[in-house]
Amino acid sequence: MKIKEIGEQGLLTILQRFCAAEIVGDDAAVIAVPADRSLVITTDMLVDGVHFSDRTTGPYYAGWRAAAANLSDLAAMGATPVAVTVALAVSADTAVDWVEEFYRGMTACLEVYHTPIVGGDVVRSPVVTVAITAFGQVECDRTICRSNARSNWAIVATGVHGASRAGLELLLNPEFGLNLEKGDRTSLILAHQRPKPRLDVLPVVWEILDAAGEFSIAGMDSSDGLADAIVQVCRASGVGAKVDRAQIPIPPILREIVSTETALDWALYGGEDFELVLFLPIAHAKLLVDRIGDGAAIVGITTESNDILLSDSSGICPDVGLKIDRGFQHF
């Protein structure tokens, strides 16, 4: 069944089943935020053929990834999610089942973090496009910004990098990685199709910083690549960095299917791992890595120089500059 067969009102009736019934129905949603909290807002737009395709994700996982990307942006600011709105542009010939599966994927991800869909819009378009706006809240003195890093701070990656890029390669090239065990293959594919925003890291961060009696942290997420996140924070904070290639957390299974250099390249520039990249004093960073475990690592340290370098603690490879234009770029 096509959307043109049920019309706009029919489609809206279907989509309202995925929304918070007590909020949807008026011209706009009303969300209360406590007086001691700041409202955090982020918007992501996804276009068929650019951000997703049935070849690699299908509608369910496209929906999951769309929700996860927005929740990851909130986590990067230190915010917990409150609600999202969804603007959907589809053609009249789009299958109703495709739209329903997309919303099932979104709500499956959002429900993990108790986040409702509270409204949106539906329009006709020759290209399927989704724009999600996510709303979060953060205590006023706990906002994580990119511009707060200081020299001689540790750089923490909250989990492994390169898995999503490997999963994409497996989806695009079925002949790739045939030597992988089924479980390993599935885990890499799911790293791409069903990423997990690291909202779980925030309570650990707050506990460590509260115990220290100070709030010293900067960061962002690694959706556009680990290297991109490090460079962006360093530039915003006016610091440099020295990143140790040996400390970058790469899934061990990658070394069975690609060279060491390719695995490193995917970890730095592959993107869409949706981990957090946090800059904080070294003592706090060590506690954070110990508490998180599961691939978390201190990957480098900030410096007073403006240089942002990938170094080799073994001394075999020369220092090279991390680049911001090797990750995903729209233009």
Side-chain angles (χ1 to χ4, degrees), residues 46 62-72 105-107 109-110 132 197:
L46 300 98
W64 178 290
R65 283 166 51 82
N70 281 267
L71 296 184
S72 183
M106 273 196 302
T107 54
C109 179
L110 294 170
I132 299 179

Side-chain angles (χ1 to χ4, degrees), residues 26-303:
D26 290 311
D27 291 319
V30 178
I31 302 172
V33 178
D36 63 340
R37 303 291 179 96
S38 295
L39 183 65
V40 181
I41 305 167
T42 182
T43 298
D44 257 7
M45 181 175 290
L46 300 98
V47 179
D48 187 15
V50 178
H51 300 93
F52 60 88
S53 73
D54 287 341
R55 184 182 175 191
T56 58
T57 48
Y60 180 91
Y61 289 120
W64 178 290
R65 283 166 51 82
N70 281 267
L71 296 184
S72 183
D73 283 340
L74 293 180
M77 297 295 296
T80 54
V82 175
V84 304
T85 60
V86 183
L88 175 69
V90 290
S91 73
D93 289 322
T94 301
V96 173
D97 287 347
W98 191 97
V99 176
E100 289 186 294
E101 277 298 289
F102 187 92
Y103 271 72
R104 287 191 186 102
M106 273 196 302
T107 54
C109 179
L110 294 170
E111 285 172 356
V112 174
Y113 305 97
H114 312 291
T115 307
I117 299 173
V118 297
D121 194 16
V122 175
V123 298
R124 185 177 68 231
S125 167
V127 179
V128 176
T129 304
V130 185
I132 299 179
T133 298
F135 303 87
Q137 59 180 355
V138 62
E139 292 183 28
C140 296
D141 59 351
R142 285 188 168 177
T143 306
I144 299 176
C145 298
R146 300 181 186 183
S147 57
N148 289 344
R150 302 293 178 263
S151 63
N152 203 39
W153 277 14
I155 305 170
V156 172
T158 59
V160 297
H161 282 74
S164 179
R165 177 62 181 82
L168 176 62
E169 192 70 24
L170 290 168
L171 290 163
L172 291 174
N173 302 300
E175 300 302 313
F176 175 72
L178 292 179
N179 60 317
L180 287 173
E181 297 289 339
K182 182 178 179 181
D184 291 331
R185 189 180 188 90
T186 299
S187 69
L188 291 175
I189 288 174
L190 287 179
H192 180 73
Q193 292 181 329
R194 200 172 66 191
K196 297 178 180 179
R198 297 308 306 267
L199 290 157
D200 60 299
V201 170
L202 298 181
V204 182
V205 171
W206 307 148
E207 183 177 335
I208 291 171
L209 296 183
D210 285 344
E214 60 178 321
F215 188 85
S216 301
I217 192 169
M220 62 180 287
D221 78 345
S222 63
S223 56
D224 289 329
L226 176 59
D228 177 89
I230 293 172
V231 173
Q232 295 267 27
V233 174
C234 285
R235 287 183 176 178
S237 298
V239 298
K242 200 163 190 179
V243 179
D244 187 350
R245 63 171 60 210
Q247 299 304 316
I248 294 173
I250 299 173
I253 194 65
L254 258 64
R255 304 185 193 280
E256 296 185 19
I257 53 177
V258 294
S259 68
T260 299
E261 285 304 309
T262 296
L264 178 65
D265 186 75
W266 286 1
L268 288 171
Y269 300 107
E272 299 189 319
D273 289 295
F274 293 104
E275 295 290 341
L276 297 182
V277 183
L278 302 175
F279 293 57
L280 64 170
I282 295 172
H284 303 163
K286 290 179 178 178
L287 288 173
L288 180 60
V289 168
D290 287 343
R291 290 283 303 277
I292 299 174
D294 196 25
I298 295 176
V299 300
I301 192 166
T302 56
T303 64

